[in-house]
Amino acid sequence: MAVMEKLKIFVVQEPVVAASCLIAGFGLFLPAVVRPILDSMDSSKQVPQPALRDVVSGVTGKKRG
């Protein structure tokens, strides 16, 4: 019996388990592929943090004098 036929039978008999295996496969595949792509695009550069007093004044609504 061919591998594809066994796979079809497995999906028909156990659809929830097959879906879980598919989701797990994506979960293992994506970080291995996407992370190097992002690193090569230099999109993971650190953004400079704003000063704490600017953040506090923005949250409280008080203007700095």
Side-chain angles (χ1 to χ4, degrees), residues 27-58:
L28 293 173
F29 173 76
L30 288 178
V33 173
V34 173
R35 190 72 212 172
I37 293 172
L38 290 177
D39 288 344
S40 69
M41 293 173 36
D42 291 332
S43 65
S44 61
K45 290 183 178 176
Q46 289 279 339
V47 177
Q49 291 185 345
L52 182 59
R53 61 181 173 206
D54 294 338
V55 174
V56 171
S57 65

Side-chain angles (χ1 to χ4, degrees), residues 3-40:
V3 174
M4 289 302 291
E5 286 191 35
K6 287 185 179 181
L7 185 62
K8 287 179 185 178
I9 292 171
F10 176 69
V11 171
V12 169
Q13 289 178 348
E14 299 289 341
V16 175
V17 176
S20 297
C21 291
L22 185 65
I23 292 169
F26 278 120
L28 293 173
F29 173 76
L30 288 178
V33 173
V34 173
R35 190 72 212 172
I37 293 172
L38 290 177
D39 288 344
S40 69

